[in-house]
Amino acid sequence: MSDRYASFVQSGAGRALVKRLGLPDPPRLRRYAPGEPILPGPVLLGSASGGRLTEPVGRILAAAGLALRDPATAVPDPTTGRTPDSAALVYDATGITDSTGLRQLYDFFHPQARAVQPSGRVIVLGTPPAECAGTREATAQRALEGLTRSIGKEFGRGITAQLVHVTREADESTWTSLEATLRFLLSGRSAYVSGQVIRVGAGQATAPVDWERPLDGQVVLVTGAARGIGAALARVLARDGATVLALDVPAAGDELASVANEIGASAVQLDLTAADAPTRLAEYLAGRHGRVDVVVHNAGITRDKTLGRMDADRWNQVIDVNLSSQERINDLLLERELIPAGGRIVGVSSIAGIAGNRGQTNYATSKAGVIGLVDSLAPALRERRISVNAVAPGFIETRLTARIPLVVREAGRRMNSLAQGGLPVDVAETISWLAWPASGAISGNVVRVCGQSLLGA
């Protein structure tokens, strides 16, 4: 569905009106296109005194073909007062060990605040507070969240900001997953992701031969693949090299077949709430491929009513499709060892599962349950080297959101740092990154794809 207001704002007359009246100003976002460079300009890499990640991150960025700007040259020109533009700011804050050291953040970011290109990127690297040597260091590292989330709301012009926690016990897989994370966050793949905290720890991660096809050789199951986010996801996964198994209910068979034929995927018609669904799915996977490397639980429904007016069937259906079916399928696939070491499970939650939503107690409960599933499964599967993560979409432009009343729809679009709704491809790009073999050291994360929504922030 088109956003007419955003289109108007990007016209000459619209820009003048927005500036004069102080209206929301949705920028044109830079999204990923195959073959394009990760960034359209240089990266300014800075560091607090004693930062432990500057050197390896510099190597990662250089290996990715990114031009690095010397911080000594990124200072205001004495004549014009202008600071040279950068496409991204990456700052290693791991050397900050107490609150007094936070001044180094100001010293780095203050002169750069107006020198980041439109749709630029800001990434701060930190240490997980739980791994800090003492309370003062943990306090300072926790403070970084306030910095990055505020930058995401302040810098504007489509600029996003993230905090990436990197474990002290870094091994080769950690560095591989850090590279995958930086490639994702710096590129147009992350256009609608901002204000997030991402943890990179240990796991089983393998760098691809070709970063343009990071899912080559992977068998990926996508539920709810006939339309909307699921269809976009199937397309992105296939583009990234995966063998896609697109699953949906028999009633969506025609749309499912259309998506599958378009990308060369296998169409699987199955009602996930049927008693024998997990067994039938497991037998299909075992017989066709002998395994499934990635399971993406995207299937979901809404049956909205306020709790006092909601009948039991509405409650039961939403919980069963959105949460219980995921548990049953995970349990059987894991029991039969059809998800191998290095496998991925990705669930689709929602901002409603974080902030709640009027008229959606059943939906919000199910989507909060998906977050609980990630929290509980991630440590349980660590020894099997299977990662578990979730994405939590905010306002995404789909046929469902097109049915929302105009005033509510416009509020949903504008109440985020990017002042616009996201696209299904934004959710798909984020899930694909979590599915990459290179992302194996990323587990237990819930990444919001919401343009840094004000709800639940």
Side-chain angles (χ1 to χ4, degrees):
M1 180 179 180
S2 63
D3 184 341
R4 295 181 179 178
Y5 175 81
S7 299
F8 172 70
V9 165
Q10 289 160 5
S11 68
R15 297 216 59 77
L17 186 63
V18 162
K19 186 174 182 180
R20 186 165 67 250
L21 299 181
L23 297 172
D25 186 8
R28 191 183 302 276
L29 302 183
R30 174 176 61 91
R31 289 187 166 90
Y32 172 77
E36 289 189 352
I38 296 174
L39 283 169
V43 178
L44 179 61
L45 175 60
S47 177
S49 178
R52 62 184 171 85
L53 297 174
T54 309
E55 188 175 321
V57 167
R59 290 196 299 268
I60 287 172
L61 296 177
L66 296 168
L68 300 182
R69 170 164 283 155
D70 184 348
T73 68
V75 295
D77 183 280
T79 304
T80 64
R82 283 184 54 84
T83 300
D85 287 350
S86 299
L89 309 177
V90 178
Y91 189 78
D92 177 8
T94 57
I96 299 176
T97 57
D98 60 35
S99 59
T100 62
L102 295 171
R103 171 56 192 264
Q104 297 176 80
L105 300 171
Y106 173 86
D107 292 340
F108 178 78
F109 286 105
H110 171 68
Q112 306 301 327
R114 298 178 183 177
V116 183
Q117 297 173 4
S119 281
R121 301 289 186 258
V122 176
I123 298 176
V124 176
L125 303 163
T127 300
E131 296 183 14
C132 289
T135 57
R136 291 198 173 200
E137 181 182 3
T139 299
Q141 290 296 310
R142 179 61 177 80
L144 301 177
E145 291 190 35
L147 172 84
T148 52
R149 287 181 170 142
S150 295
I151 286 175
K153 294 177 177 179
E154 280 189 9
F155 279 22
R157 299 179 297 125
I159 297 166
T160 63
Q162 329 288 347
L163 173 60
V164 179
H165 282 153
V166 183
T167 182
R168 288 188 186 275
E169 304 298 324
D171 57 16
E172 185 175 346
S173 286
T174 305
W175 301 126
T176 298
S177 289
L178 179 58
E179 178 172 3
T181 300
L182 292 174
R183 283 176 174 269
F184 169 71
L185 293 177
L186 292 172
S187 75
R189 295 177 187 265
S190 62
Y192 203 61
V193 177
S194 190
Q196 299 305 289
V197 181
I198 294 164
R199 299 184 303 277
V200 181
Q204 179 172 313
T206 306
V209 174
D210 180 1
W211 282 100
E212 287 288 301
R213 292 179 60 83
L215 285 167
D216 263 344
Q218 299 290 290
V219 178
V220 182
L221 171 70
V222 181
T223 69
R227 59 180 73 92
I229 290 172
L233 177 55
R235 294 184 182 103
V236 167
L237 293 168
R239 180 205 69 195
D240 284 355
T243 297
V244 177
L245 312 179
L247 183 150
D248 217 312
V249 293
D254 290 344
E255 290 173 292
L256 181 66
S258 177
V259 172
N261 291 336
E262 175 191 338
I263 62 175
S266 297
V268 183
Q269 296 186 27
L270 183 65
D271 179 356
L272 295 176
T273 64
D276 63 345
T279 300
R280 289 173 59 192
L281 180 58
E283 290 174 350
Y284 173 86
L285 294 171
R288 283 292 190 95
H289 301 281
R291 72 186 198 285
V292 58
D293 299 296
V294 182
V295 177
V296 182
H297 293 290
N298 170 71
I301 62 171
T302 57
R303 297 289 185 270
D304 296 350
K305 282 284 185 181
T306 56
L307 188 57
R309 296 177 180 273
M310 184 183 299
D311 58 77
D313 283 345
R314 289 176 184 264
W315 180 276
N316 293 339
Q317 289 171 22
V318 169
I319 299 298
D320 197 24
V321 173
N322 297 3
L323 182 59
S324 299
S325 67
Q326 293 190 25
E327 294 178 306
R328 293 191 294 267
I329 289 168
N330 288 342
D331 287 349
L332 190 60
L333 296 184
L334 291 167
E335 177 188 325
R336 297 192 179 186
E337 299 185 342
L338 286 169
I339 304 175
R344 311 276 180 269
I345 298 173
V346 184
V348 176
S349 180
S350 167
I351 194 171
I354 297 170
N357 201 19
R358 175 179 168 79
Q360 288 194 315
T361 52
N362 50 0
Y363 183 77
T365 299
S366 70
K367 293 303 186 177
V370 172
I371 295 172
L373 184 151
V374 168
D375 289 343
S376 58
L377 266 187
L381 294 180
R382 187 171 296 126
E383 288 189 5
R384 294 177 64 170
R385 299 200 173 259
I386 297 172
S387 71
V388 186
N389 296 284
V391 299
F395 188 97
I396 305 297
E397 303 279 359
T398 65
R399 289 190 297 183
L400 290 178
T401 55
R403 299 172 189 163
I404 298 173
L406 176 63
V407 173
V408 178
R409 185 168 69 241
E410 282 302 302
R413 282 172 168 161
R414 310 305 163 209
M415 291 180 64
N416 60 74
S417 296
L418 299 175
Q420 60 194 284
L423 302 179
V425 72
D426 297 321
V427 183
E429 296 282 16
T430 306
I431 292 173
S432 184
W433 157 61
L434 292 171
W436 295 352
S439 298
I442 303 164
S443 192
N445 288 261
V446 179
V447 181
R448 289 170 52 172
V449 187
C450 63
Q452 198 179 12
S453 173
L454 303 182
L455 298 176

